[in-house]
């Protein structure tokens, strides 16, 4: 699967952050830093790219960015569930692409166009997430050729319906509240960010499936098919429930 973890994924530069400015997720390569926000791998941008990335995140403050180091692209692909946010479009972007965007106007226009397209599509996925508790998170990835892929992380655990749905909805509300606090005070809220990362990691460790499609419409169709199939698998008829549990002695 290609990804804005691939695409908007690979860079170089330098960061003078001290240990106190970083919060690491012990079970993944995710880190929260003052300069970069959420990172995956050891990200280092040039001063010019660092300034540009700050502007990019500010310009698209209604989206959630994850920047990926060049050597962690493949690992990032398998960790999409931990990047997700059920309340914001997630843009997983590589450090190399950010560096190119900072130094090449044509590349900047190309990738900002992709991000803008994702922003316009985010309301559809947000509405879908609001009405479907199986959607744990969603976002966009892209490769260095500009090929995009929308993704949705789905809960596929076949536990009992209403109780599980309620629990997932509650977790999503908690994540949203934590994320809002982080947005208001990113620098001072490292501890809350770590807790949010743990919640995202929990979602990943649950029984999940990542759906991908090249368009939002394609992804929404896959989400619908997934939900129907899951509900079908969870529904037993009365006769199926009784199968092997009773004997009919009537003639």
């Amino acid at each position: 699967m290609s990804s804005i973890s691939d695409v908007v994924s690979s860079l170089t530069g330098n960061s003078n952050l001290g240990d106190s400015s970083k919060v690491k997720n012990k079970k993944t390569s995710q880190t929260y830093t003052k300069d970069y926000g959420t990172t995956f791998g050891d990200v280092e941008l040039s001063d010019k790219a660092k300034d540009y990335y700050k502007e990019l995140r500010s310009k698209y403050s209604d989206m959630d960015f994850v920047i990926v180091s060049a050597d962690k692209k493949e690992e990032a692909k398998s960790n999409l569930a931990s990047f997700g946010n059920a309340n914001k479009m997630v843009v997983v972007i590589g450090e190399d692409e950010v560096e190119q965007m900072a130094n090449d106007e044509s590349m900047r226009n190309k990738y900002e166009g992709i991000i803008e397209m994702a922003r316009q599509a985010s309301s559809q996925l947000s509405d879908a997430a609001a009405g479907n508790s199986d959607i744990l998170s969603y976002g966009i990835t892209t490769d260095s050729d500009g090929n995009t892929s929308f993704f949705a992380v789905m809960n596929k655990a076949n536990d009992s319906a209403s109780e599980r749905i309620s629990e997932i909805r509650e977790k999503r509300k908690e994540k949203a509240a934590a994320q809002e606090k982080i947005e208001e005070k990113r620098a001072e809220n490292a501890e809350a960010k770590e807790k949010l990362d743990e919640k995202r990691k929990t979602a990943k460790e649950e029984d999940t499936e990542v759906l991908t499609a090249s368009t939002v419409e394609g992804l929404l169709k896959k989400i619908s098919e997934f939900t129907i199939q899951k509900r079908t698998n969870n529904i037993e008829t009365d006769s199926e429930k009784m199968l092997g549990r009773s004997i009919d002695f009537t003639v």
Side-chain angles (χ1 to χ4, degrees), residues 51-81:
D51 290 341
Y52 169 71
Y53 187 55
K54 182 178 179 180
E55 292 173 7
L56 184 69
R57 290 171 59 208
S58 177
K59 181 177 180 179
Y60 295 99
S61 59
D62 54 335
M63 305 174 84
D64 201 8
F65 282 79
V66 178
I67 186 167
V68 180
S69 65
D71 63 329
K72 292 289 184 179
K73 291 181 183 180
E74 292 305 314
E75 187 178 338
K77 289 183 193 178
S78 63
N79 279 274
L80 288 178

Side-chain angles (χ1 to χ4, degrees), residues 181-239:
K181 289 179 184 177
I182 292 165
E183 295 297 335
E184 292 167 1
K185 264 188 148 178
R186 279 187 176 270
E188 300 93 67
N189 217 353
E191 187 177 349
K193 177 64 181 178
E194 186 176 29
K195 289 179 181 177
L196 178 63
D197 286 341
E198 285 301 310
K199 289 184 178 181
R200 285 176 173 170
K201 176 213 60 166
T202 300
K204 178 197 167 190
E205 290 177 350
E206 289 172 348
D207 201 4
T208 62
E209 181 173 337
V210 178
L211 306 179
T212 62
S214 58
T215 65
V216 173
E217 292 74 20
L219 182 59
L220 290 172
K221 182 180 178 183
K222 287 189 175 183
I223 288 172
S224 176
E225 291 170 348
F226 174 94
T227 302
I228 291 170
Q229 185 60 51
K230 179 179 175 181
R231 298 293 177 261
T232 301
N233 291 343
N234 283 342
I235 294 172
E236 289 183 321
T237 64
D238 289 340
S239 59

Side-chain angles (χ1 to χ4, degrees), residues 20-140:
S20 61
S21 63
K22 293 186 178 182
V23 177
K24 290 184 177 292
N25 183 316
K26 297 179 178 64
K27 295 195 175 183
T28 73
S29 297
Q30 284 191 63
T31 302
Y32 180 79
T33 73
K34 178 181 176 182
D35 285 345
Y36 302 140
T38 302
T39 67
F40 192 85
D42 190 11
V43 173
E44 291 188 354
L45 297 177
S46 65
D47 289 341
K48 183 176 181 179
K50 187 186 297 184
D51 290 341
Y52 169 71
Y53 187 55
K54 182 178 179 180
E55 292 173 7
L56 184 69
R57 290 171 59 208
S58 177
K59 181 177 180 179
Y60 295 99
S61 59
D62 54 335
M63 305 174 84
D64 201 8
F65 282 79
V66 178
I67 186 167
V68 180
S69 65
D71 63 329
K72 292 289 184 179
K73 291 181 183 180
E74 292 305 314
E75 187 178 338
K77 289 183 193 178
S78 63
N79 279 274
L80 288 178
S82 69
F83 300 148
N85 185 327
N87 303 281
K88 280 186 175 184
M89 172 68 74
V90 176
V91 179
V92 186
I93 187 168
E95 61 175 358
D96 288 348
E97 283 69 34
V98 173
E99 199 72 57
Q100 290 172 7
M101 291 164 77
N103 290 283
D104 184 334
E105 186 176 357
S106 65
M107 292 297 289
R108 179 162 59 249
N109 292 338
K110 175 181 178 179
Y111 288 117
E112 286 196 15
I114 292 172
I115 295 169
E116 184 61 42
M117 177 267 292
R119 171 194 259 174
Q120 293 172 12
S122 66
S123 61
Q124 292 174 270
L125 290 171
S126 177
D127 289 345
N132 186 339
S133 60
D134 287 331
I135 303 174
L136 297 174
S137 56
Y138 59 86
I140 184 171

